[in-house]
Amino acid sequence: MIERYVVGLHEVDETQVALVGGKGAHLGGLSRIDGVRVPDGFCVTTDAFRRIMAEAPPVDDLLDRLSRLDPDDREAVRTLSAQIRGTIEGTAIPGDLAAAITRALARLGGRAACAVRSSATAEDLPTASFAGQHDTYLNVVGAAAVLRHVRRCWASLFTERAVTYRRRNGVDHRAVRMAVVVQRMVLPRASGVLFTADPVTGDRRTATVEACFGLGEALVSGLVDPDVFTVRDGEVVARAPAAERRAVPTPPTGGAREAVTGPRRERPALTDAQAVRLVRLGRRIEARFGRPQDIEWCLADDGLHIVQSRPVTTLFPVPVPEAGDRENRVYVSVGHQQMMTDPMKPLGLSMWRLTAMAPMHEAGGRLFVDVTARLASPAGRAGLLDLVGRGDPLTRDALETVLDRGFVPSLPDTGPDGPPDGGPPAPIETDPAVVTGLMERSRASVAALERAIRTKTGPALFDFLLTAFDEHKRILGDPLSMQVIRAGMEATWWLNDRLHAWLGERNAADTLTLSAPGNVTSEMGLALLDLADVIRPHPQVVAFLRGVEDDGFLDGLAELPGGAEARDAIEAYLDRYGMRCVGEIDITRPRWRERPATLVPVLLDHVRNVEPGAAARRFEQGRRKALEKERDVLSRLRALPDGDRKAGETERMIDRVRTFIGYREYPKYDIVSRYSVYRQALMGEAGRLVRAGVLAEEEDVFFLTFQEFRDVVRTGRADERLIRRRKDAFRSYRALTPPRVLTSDGEALSGAYRRDDAPAGALVGLPVSAGTVEGRARVVLDLAEAALEAGDILVTAFTDPGWSPLFVGIAGLVTEVGGLMTHGAVIAREYGLPTVVGVEQATRRIRDGQRIRVHGTDGYVELLG
């Protein structure tokens, strides 16, 4: 391989990150855009960096030690990083390499002031910008100074902040190389930053220009206040002048900050026309790189120059529109309804879309439903807002914000709308046999799927699955099943509304639905308590489970006293619930049957914290409490005017809600039961592809869509580069927080409660399960790492059914995501746990171990200490 130590910026483009780093590649790409001027310069390539690293052998050992450090040991990271930097800066640049840099510098003008800028291979990437992590030096004059600062840029790959940033973004230190960009400095009258999308709201049609007099480095470093221009559709729509105009002057006066005086003090750093022209250039740059850009620019006597452009990695992506579709679109998050807002891998996304009842759109590893048509229709809008608002007021508020701006045109109603918006209950009899029949039909369908899929492999498996997805949707969309779910929800709303109006009771249905029969998810949590009862009497089994480190532990149980009984009980639990897991709507997530060790910490918590017989006792206590509540409200209603009628209607609704509300969880159980069958068959195909040498590992199929997976099985060929790109993209999606509502312009909205009835300092949310509880907050982001004591309050991001085993061991619940009828809320009411959901950033604002008070009736959380 011929090594290239120096290349001109005009010789490279954005495809050559490996040679010149992210910044160098972007600058090369910028120089190829018509009308975009980039200051002249060259790159000292990563080949030069590799050579320097080879000349400094102690670095290899230091990198080994760095990779073994605890990332939280900041002092050790700081010390070792400084050693690596000192070694690199102390390594002499070989003569031929120094000569190549000096020759390139002479072509710029030997005594010209230069900018010497780091350009790492993991920098300015679509998945992580690494902005500000590496060093840049301005006003560097002369060959000796440039060579010295090139070494300092190489060393800046190992600043403490860069090392920490790489660890946080999953980037291997050894996989990163450093190039250096050397450019002739432009002496600007003004400079600044352009964001081609609004950096706060994400709106892609709105650009933000920040401008100051003199060098832009002062603005980027926060040393001066900028003039701010907001540009939309080719005109300035807002201006915010600098509070105090200061500038960092260009050479020869140096880099000290000084006040702006004279006529410039009264005018902004740019005119409106210049700001609009700059945004027009930004749009060309954005089109070249395919996503919103953060652009550094400067204005000199000869016009605008672009000195850097990097992708804005913090904005949530926008769903790709259909070809030719230029209409405004409004999307609602699926993850917030499913209580799983983590990103999904491509196979998970495509499988959910293939089996869902509504068309869905993907963005940022999440799924969204287009509700534009519903919002455009007056009747549809009212129904949607009422339905959404009952479950999640934040989503309703976000939708109303979009509507208030006129983003969606109002169209005449063309026919009947979708589901009723809270009118009379669905016309089905309050008969438990209806629910029993639906469950039996579901079990029979899943059993038939299990039998039929056993003989299917290769392309035939994928053909079979497409047919199976039709049956999947038929069961899921069964009109009777949907009527039952709707009837349970409507009865809940009826009871809460009427009993609040008649008796002043808030959220009365929370108590009236305690221990409702037929809830497969609450039964799952109680069954884990029964499993703890089997294990608790056998101390050797308990000790063995405390030492479990992998998923092959079940076979070892049989050799212990009581171990065979424990193993059989665990196997029986997995037979019933082993298809579940946290994030279970993503088929790429391993199930409990595959990873039984996931349940061991929760099981041991129950062994330690819960008394024998707790499952039956808790269920009976809930049933009695619901019965007592029913007697109380009926007695109080009969004492009211027209009391007999009110009591009679209420009694019928209580019977109805207890008959139907438990079924709310069963369709999800049916879905994950089928997903487990699909997953087992697909992983068999993945294993065959690995054995055939087509894929490096089975999990590679997770980064293919269903159709792509099918094509790989058919052809025996896989696109390794596509899989690598998808893995990089998935890592970047994990850093993004999905909005509840997203527009086609890219605006991300999460809504607001707009209420003032909570105490000062309290965290406001949605009340979904009545009661008040005070206790220790345990902030848990991973089920396997939960370590709970009796009386603890669980604080987490979301709780899909896979979190339910924890519910029987806690006193209260706080989540960042959720609604009145989402899974966590339904199970919390079943167990009588005071619960507040939709508390923004709860896992950050509440400290692990902090004492808190959860007001599940009024919807807020007090921080006590």
Side-chain angles (χ1 to χ4, degrees):
M1 183 183 71
I2 299 176
E3 294 184 324
R4 303 170 67 192
Y5 294 141
V6 176
V7 296
L9 279 178
H10 63 280
E11 299 178 65
V12 298
D13 63 20
E14 62 270 30
T15 66
Q16 293 171 277
V17 172
L19 180 67
V20 296
K23 185 181 283 106
H26 260 68
L27 286 169
L30 284 167
S31 68
R32 294 165 183 260
I33 302 173
D34 183 41
V36 173
R37 302 173 64 186
V38 176
D40 292 339
F42 61 89
C43 296
V44 182
T45 69
T46 55
D47 289 342
F49 176 78
R50 272 194 291 267
R51 181 169 173 186
I52 287 296
M53 294 294 278
E55 300 271 341
V59 170
D60 205 47
D61 176 59
L62 294 172
L63 284 176
D64 283 338
R65 289 165 55 191
L66 185 64
S67 67
R68 292 193 296 268
L69 284 183
D70 181 345
D72 294 326
D73 189 346
R74 296 185 61 181
E75 185 57 39
V77 170
R78 183 180 300 117
T79 300
L80 200 51
S81 298
Q83 285 182 257
I84 296 172
R85 292 197 305 277
T87 300
I88 295 172
E89 288 189 42
T91 301
I93 300 178
D96 60 330
L97 176 52
I101 295 172
T102 302
R103 285 193 300 271
L105 185 62
R107 288 192 289 271
L108 290 184
R111 300 301 297 173
C114 292
V116 182
R117 315 171 71 189
S118 304
S119 179
T121 53
E123 184 176 274
D124 293 355
L125 302 180
T127 54
S129 76
F130 283 77
Q133 304 306 314
H134 308 119
D135 289 350
T136 287
Y137 302 95
L138 303 180
N139 301 333
V140 181
V141 179
V146 167
L147 291 171
R148 184 169 64 253
H149 285 86
V150 165
R151 281 201 304 269
R152 293 176 69 179
C153 284
W154 285 332
S156 75
L157 189 64
F158 299 101
T159 60
E160 181 189 353
R161 65 181 183 270
V163 167
T164 302
Y165 193 88
R166 283 196 295 274
R167 292 293 290 268
R168 191 177 299 134
N169 284 274
V171 178
D172 182 1
H173 301 306
R174 292 181 180 279
V176 185
R177 301 284 184 267
M178 179 66 82
V180 181
V181 175
V182 180
Q183 287 177 283
R184 185 176 182 123
M185 285 206 51
V186 174
L187 306 183
R189 290 190 285 118
S191 47
V193 178
L194 160 65
F195 297 95
T196 64
D198 188 308
V200 177
T201 68
D203 189 340
R204 291 345 188 235
R205 289 175 59 190
T206 299
T208 301
V209 178
E210 297 182 350
C212 66
F213 290 106
L215 290 173
E217 185 69 15
L219 173 59
V220 174
S221 303
L223 297 176
V224 299
D225 292 325
D227 295 307
V228 181
F229 301 81
T230 303
V231 179
R232 184 179 177 89
D233 297 334
E235 63 177 319
V236 174
V237 296
R239 302 168 194 79
E244 181 181 13
R245 290 204 168 88
R246 290 182 173 271
V248 173
T250 55
T253 55
R257 185 176 57 159
E258 63 181 31
V260 174
T261 58
R264 292 194 308 168
R265 184 174 183 177
E266 303 302 323
R267 60 181 172 84
L270 288 181
T271 65
D272 283 6
Q274 288 168 332
V276 170
R277 183 153 56 93
L278 177 61
V279 170
R280 198 174 297 127
L281 282 179
R283 295 297 181 211
R284 291 187 197 171
I285 295 168
E286 182 181 64
R288 167 85 183 199
F289 296 122
R291 59 189 303 157
Q293 298 288 301
D294 166 0
I295 299 168
E296 294 179 28
W297 57 271
C298 58
L299 176 66
D301 291 337
D302 58 349
L304 287 164
H305 297 257
I306 304 300
V307 296
Q308 183 162 310
S309 181
R310 63 171 70 91
V312 183
T313 60
T314 56
L315 298 181
F316 201 86
V318 181
V320 177
E322 300 290 336
D325 182 8
R326 296 182 177 275
E327 298 296 321
N328 287 347
R329 297 286 172 188
V330 181
Y331 304 96
V332 170
S333 166
V334 173
H336 284 80
Q337 308 307 311
Q338 291 294 331
M339 291 290 281
M340 208 293 279
T341 53
D342 287 348
M344 295 167 67
K345 299 183 181 75
L347 183 61
L349 291 166
S350 65
M351 289 286 286
W352 190 259
R353 293 173 76 174
L354 284 167
T355 54
M357 298 303 296
M360 294 184 181
H361 305 264
E362 185 270 330
R366 280 80 168 187
L367 291 170
F368 294 82
V369 173
D370 185 347
V371 296
T372 313
R374 293 284 303 274
L375 291 175
S377 156
R381 182 187 315 137
L384 177 66
L385 292 176
D386 185 65
L387 187 62
V388 167
R390 285 179 178 274
D392 183 0
L394 291 177
T395 298
R396 174 172 182 149
D397 181 79
L399 290 173
E400 288 177 331
T401 299
V402 173
L403 290 169
D404 288 346
R405 294 175 184 168
F407 187 78
V408 178
S410 184
L411 302 175
D413 290 320
T414 57
D417 189 42
D421 58 359
I428 55 172
E429 292 296 322
T430 304
D431 182 359
V434 174
V435 174
T436 303
L438 287 169
M439 291 180 175
E440 289 175 350
R441 207 179 312 170
S442 166
R443 285 192 289 267
S445 178
V446 172
L449 171 66
E450 291 172 331
R451 290 192 300 271
I453 205 170
R454 287 174 189 154
T455 59
K456 305 297 189 297
T457 60
L461 170 65
F462 291 83
D463 294 339
F464 170 80
L465 284 173
L466 290 173
T467 302
F469 296 162
D470 291 336
E471 170 66 3
H472 179 128
K473 289 190 281 190
R474 187 189 69 79
I475 292 291
L476 191 61
D478 183 331
L480 182 59
S481 174
M482 299 181 80
Q483 279 184 299
V484 168
I485 293 170
R486 184 75 189 185
M489 294 168 61
E490 287 174 337
T492 300
W493 298 336
W494 191 98
L495 288 166
N496 282 336
D497 292 347
R498 296 299 196 282
L499 295 181
H500 183 257
W502 293 338
L503 299 176
E505 285 272 354
R506 299 188 65 178
N507 303 322
D510 293 0
T511 305
L512 293 167
T513 54
L514 289 172
S515 298
N519 188 315
V520 68
T521 308
S522 63
E523 289 169 356
M524 177 176 69
L526 295 173
L528 199 63
L529 291 179
D530 289 335
L531 179 55
D533 287 351
V534 175
I535 289 166
R536 191 179 295 106
H538 305 294
Q540 291 186 39
V541 172
V542 174
F544 175 85
L545 291 175
R546 287 192 184 119
V548 164
E549 294 182 353
D550 59 53
D551 296 301
F553 68 91
L554 288 173
D555 291 338
L557 278 173
E559 303 169 6
L560 304 172
E565 181 186 4
R567 182 194 61 194
D568 291 346
I570 293 172
E571 289 282 5
Y573 186 88
L574 293 174
D575 286 344
R576 176 73 166 139
Y577 303 111
M579 78 291 289
R580 310 215 82 149
C581 65
V582 171
E584 60 195 11
I585 68 171
D586 184 354
I587 200 171
T588 70
R589 297 281 187 106
R591 311 286 129 170
W592 289 341
R593 166 57 75 183
E594 302 166 60
R595 302 277 177 86
T598 303
L599 291 170
V600 170
V602 184
L603 182 57
L604 289 173
D605 284 347
H606 294 341
V607 168
R608 184 178 68 253
N609 298 330
V610 181
E611 293 295 321
R617 193 164 53 250
R618 287 187 179 198
F619 188 84
E620 180 59 20
Q621 287 171 349
R623 192 188 68 80
R624 288 179 178 275
K625 193 172 181 181
L627 185 59
E628 289 168 5
K629 186 68 172 178
E630 179 178 2
R631 290 170 179 160
D632 173 62
V633 297
L634 293 180
S635 173
R636 290 160 61 196
L637 285 171
R638 290 190 180 101
L640 298 176
D642 200 20
D644 287 342
R645 178 188 64 80
K646 293 174 180 175
E649 290 180 359
T650 300
E651 187 172 20
R652 288 191 294 274
M653 280 299 173
I654 292 173
D655 183 33
R656 191 170 182 81
V657 77
R658 292 190 63 81
T659 297
F660 291 139
I661 199 64
Y663 181 75
R664 169 72 178 79
E665 292 293 300
Y666 202 86
K668 186 72 170 285
Y669 180 77
D670 177 276
I671 291 170
V672 296
S673 296
R674 294 173 190 277
Y675 266 35
S676 181
V677 178
Y678 304 154
R679 177 182 164 88
Q680 187 174 357
L682 291 171
M683 293 311 293
E685 290 302 312
R688 281 186 276 276
L689 291 171
V690 171
R691 291 190 293 275
V694 177
L695 296 175
E697 54 188 14
E698 291 183 3
E699 288 76 13
D700 283 349
V701 300
F702 297 161
F703 297 93
L704 301 172
T705 66
F706 179 84
Q707 183 59 51
E708 290 165 348
F709 190 178
R710 184 186 192 185
D711 291 342
V712 171
V713 169
R714 182 176 52 82
T715 64
R717 294 192 301 274
D719 187 339
E720 294 179 9
R721 288 179 298 179
L722 173 67
I723 291 170
R724 282 198 302 272
R725 286 200 306 272
R726 296 261 179 86
K727 288 180 178 180
D728 289 341
F730 179 74
R731 278 193 292 270
S732 75
Y733 295 155
R734 294 173 68 177
L736 298 176
T737 300
R740 285 175 168 80
V741 172
L742 184 64
T743 73
S744 52
D745 280 355
E747 188 170 9
L749 301 100
S750 292
Y753 285 108
R754 308 189 192 283
R755 44 180 284 205
D756 56 6
D757 57 344
L763 309 183
V764 177
L766 177 67
V768 297
S769 184
T772 301
V773 65
E774 180 179 325
R776 180 181 67 160
R778 293 313 310 267
V779 180
V780 181
L781 302 179
D782 184 343
L783 180 74
E785 295 177 2
L788 301 169
E789 300 288 344
D792 282 348
I793 297 169
L794 175 63
V795 180
T796 190
F798 60 80
T799 53
D800 68 354
W803 285 84
S804 299
L806 289 181
F807 284 23
V808 291
I810 59 176
L813 175 65
V814 179
T815 70
E816 295 176 341
V817 174
L820 184 64
M821 298 306 295
T822 50
H823 302 280
V826 172
I827 304 307
R829 289 193 290 273
E830 284 273 331
Y831 291 156
L833 297 175
T835 298
V836 180
V837 303
V839 179
E840 291 289 287
Q841 298 187 332
T843 58
R844 299 179 190 177
R845 297 162 73 186
I846 299 174
R847 300 190 314 273
D848 186 45
Q850 184 176 22
R851 288 199 68 79
I852 63 175
R853 185 180 297 124
V854 178
H855 294 264
T857 303
D858 298 314
Y860 62 88
V861 180
E862 290 183 278
L863 309 181
L864 304 179

